[in-house]
Each structure stands twice: as C-alpha cells, then as structure tokens.
Amino acid sequence: VSVSRTVLREQVRELLLERILQHHYQPGERLVETRIATELGVSQAPVREALRELEQLRFVESAPFRGSWVREVSDEELAEVYPIRAALEEVAARAAAERLGGAVGPLEREIAAMAKAKDTHDQVDHDVRFHRLIVEASGNARLLEIWSGLQVEARTAITAVRTGLDRKEVAARHKPIVEALRRGDPDAAGREIRSHVEDFGRMFLERRANDS
Amino acid sequence: LSEGRTVRAALEALAAGVAVEHLRGDVRPLATEVDAMRAAAARDDLHEFITHDVGFHRLVVEASGNRTLADLWEALHVELRTTITLIRWPGDLDAVAEGHVPVLEALAAGDGDAAATEMRRHIESWTSERRLP
C-alpha cells in the first residue's frame, strides 16, 4: 500500500464519518461504493477500505448482497473506548517513563504542533501522534497492536469536533503527562495519562448533554 | 511479565472494577465456574478446567457492560493462550482454581477497587509464580 493510497483511504473515511456524525447520512441509509467513488473522483478500493474501517468502528453495517448502510451509534457506545484507552495508555506510560530516560523532545514537539494546528484535522493528527509515541515507547508490541486496533484517529476526530475545545487548551492538557515522563516517574505518568483520557471521555458525554 | 499478560491484566482489572455495578453482588454464575474448575482439577481434566477458567474471566468481562471491551478481550484469544500456558507449564490446577477466589469475594462484596486490584494480582501473580517470560 503506497502512502498516497493510505492517505486517500483516511480522507475518504474522515469525510464519510463526518457526514454520518453530522447526519448528512441518516441511520439506515445505504452507502453505495460506486456512487461515493464517482462523487469523490476516486477508485473503489479506498472507499471499500474506508467502509470496512467504519464497520469496525460500528458506524456502518453490511451484509452479503445488500451492501453497506449507516448504523445508529449511541454516544454511550462511542464513550466505551475511553476507559479502555485509559487502562492501556496507563500501562504504556508507566513503561515509557522507565524507557524514555527523560527524552521527551518528540512529545513536546507534538504539543507545540497541536497548539499551532491550522485546523481540526491537523490538531487531531498531532494529538494522536503524541499518544502513539507513548504507546510505542512502552516497547510492548502487543500493546501497540491492540491500541492501534482501536481506531484512535477517527475517534479523536469525533471527540475534537464534539468537545470543540480550544486547541491551546487541548495542547496544555498533555503537559502534565510529559512532565511526569521527563522525571521518569512511572506512577505519576500512569496516573496523568489515565485522568487525561478519562477527562476527555467525560467531556464527550457532557457535551452531548449540553447539546440536547 | 509477558507483553500480552500486562495488557490482559489492565483490561480485566478495568472490567472487574466496573462489573460490580452490573453484578450488584450476585456472583452465582462466577461461583459456579470456580466450583467447576475445582471439580475439573480433581479429575485432572485440563480441557474442562480451561473451559471454566476462561468462562470465569469472560463473565467478568461481559459484566462490565462495555461491548467494545468485550470485543477486544475476545480478540486476545485468552482460551488459546491459557491452553498453551498450561500445557507448556503444567502446574497445580487446584491452586489456579483457588486463585480466583479473592476476585470472586471482592466482586461479591461490591468493592470495585478491590475487584480490580485482585484481578490484576490474579493475572500477574500467576505469571510470576510460573516464572514465565
């Protein structure tokens, strides 16, 4: 898979996700691969892959000979991932605190990029990269594999749109994690990343309550 | 501690901590699995033992009410991994069965923090006792 192909698939997935979340596509509405490909001026492959990823996220359902359609997803379902990420990233940050040896430069660069992000997409990109760097730094390949399967990119995009937080605030919320990692303090690093992720889970559901 | 086991301990500690809310102290299905583990240990029936060992853990994960977590746990293939572990490092099945009791007791008492701690200890200690990689 070439880089541009990956990017294309991600762009298609993000666009479809945006349309589902903004109810441009209604629950039950069919998502026809060929029609979407024609509309977007891309081949069918990235559309098919994007639909498959959205199915893993449970935003889309499919059946043989019936194609794909939009599934109604509750906010409670969307919120299920936060405690899971909190638990996994706590494990990651504890290990990373011991393995990084205080070298937090790359993490600080992601925070700076988050604060200066030109748009939500860019902000989400650096946010996810920050968390991925910590999971990678754990040196636990199994953990990275499982974390990657959670589709953190797409979910973070939802959270960013939903919470609508100022990007400087989002960036600042990552700083206590970096401070703990710089000190090489596993307990603090684990605690900080856990509450960081849990806070976003809470804000996600609260924002829903405010909207309705 | 092996990579997979660290992940599993974290996920099941999370599940056990939340499960108390849904179980409301009714741990009969879990107690049944522990009894079945004891019976299988007495007969030295490894296959049956694993079925109920994994059954115990699956019940806890399902009691979390978090479907995303349950899907993720199934993808860990705990049954297969437990089988491999018990075949490569055969041990005292009675002791493994009894190792579930502190988790069961914490869940019965409705103490989420204790349930999480005991579950983590159960999964992690089992590894260190066997000196697994």
Side-chain angles (χ1 to χ4, degrees), chain A residues 4-209:
Chain A
S4 60
R5 166 89 173 272
T6 307
V7 171
L8 199 57
R9 185 196 70 219
E10 285 174 3
Q11 285 172 342
V12 172
R13 185 190 64 198
E14 270 180 39
L15 180 74
L16 295 179
L17 194 55
E18 201 179 291
R19 288 178 173 184
I20 292 171
L21 287 169
Q22 293 171 352
H23 297 288
H24 175 81
Y25 293 141
Q26 299 296 321
E29 185 169 340
R30 285 194 62 200
L31 298 174
V32 184
E33 218 172 273
T34 48
R35 205 183 297 160
I36 295 166
T38 307
E39 184 206 332
L40 303 180
V42 299
S43 67
Q44 271 176 255
V47 176
R48 188 179 314 126
E49 288 163 9
L51 286 173
R52 199 183 305 137
E53 287 185 2
L54 289 173
E55 193 169 350
Q56 283 167 13
L57 282 161
R58 293 196 247 130
F59 283 99
V60 163
E61 288 177 303
S62 72
F65 310 112
R66 289 175 58 201
S68 304
W69 60 92
V70 179
R71 180 177 170 271
E72 175 101 68
V73 183
S74 71
D75 290 330
E76 283 71 21
E77 261 183 276
L78 287 175
E80 282 181 355
V81 79
Y82 294 101
I84 298 171
R85 274 191 62 192
L88 294 178
E89 294 188 28
E90 181 180 10
V91 172
R94 292 186 64 92
E98 287 176 346
R99 291 169 52 98
L100 281 174
V104 293
L107 291 167
E108 287 179 317
R109 281 194 283 282
E110 294 303 337
I111 292 182
M114 252 183 264
K116 286 190 307 224
K118 60 181 191 297
D119 53 28
T120 307
H121 176 90
D122 194 28
Q123 177 196 328
V124 168
D125 230 38
H126 292 291
D127 193 331
V128 175
R129 226 177 279 166
F130 176 93
H131 288 271
R132 183 180 296 279
L133 279 171
I134 293 174
V135 178
E136 284 173 352
S138 74
N140 185 330
R142 188 94 180 103
L143 181 59
L144 178 61
E145 182 194 326
I146 290 164
W147 184 86
S148 300
L150 292 174
Q151 308 271 359
V152 176
E153 286 84 357
R155 292 178 189 269
T156 304
I158 304 167
T159 311
V161 171
R162 176 72 68 89
T163 55
L165 285 181
D166 175 71
R167 53 200 51 141
K168 288 202 175 60
E169 190 192 335
V170 174
R173 283 175 171 273
H174 290 81
K175 285 183 179 163
I177 305 166
V178 174
E179 284 318 308
L181 290 170
R182 189 202 311 282
R183 296 196 307 273
D185 183 340
D187 288 341
R191 197 170 54 238
E192 290 296 348
I193 205 159
R194 170 180 279 274
S195 60
H196 168 89
V197 175
E198 286 174 348
D199 283 349
F200 275 93
R202 235 184 325 272
M203 285 188 282
F204 177 82
L205 284 174
E206 278 167 11
R207 192 51 62 118
R208 180 270 318 255

Side-chain angles (χ1 to χ4, degrees), chain B residues 50-69:
Chain B
I50 291 166
T51 301
H52 294 291
D53 186 344
V54 176
F56 178 93
H57 290 274
R58 181 173 284 120
L59 283 172
V60 175
V61 170
E62 283 171 359
S64 74
N66 184 327
R67 199 184 129 187
T68 308
L69 178 58

Side-chain angles (χ1 to χ4, degrees), chain B residues 44-118:
Chain B
D44 215 19
D45 185 340
L46 184 63
H47 177 76
E48 191 70 9
F49 184 89
I50 291 166
T51 301
H52 294 291
D53 186 344
V54 176
F56 178 93
H57 290 274
R58 181 173 284 120
L59 283 172
V60 175
V61 170
E62 283 171 359
S64 74
N66 184 327
R67 199 184 129 187
T68 308
L69 178 58
D71 286 351
L72 194 58
W73 186 84
E74 291 298 340
L76 297 178
H77 302 291
V78 171
E79 192 140 12
L80 180 65
R81 287 169 195 276
T82 305
T83 306
I84 294 168
T85 307
L86 283 171
I87 288 171
R88 289 180 71 185
W89 292 277
D92 181 359
L93 292 183
D94 286 314
V96 180
E98 296 313 317
H100 292 81
V101 173
V103 180
L104 182 68
E105 284 173 351
L107 290 170
D111 186 338
D113 289 342
T117 306
E118 292 300 345

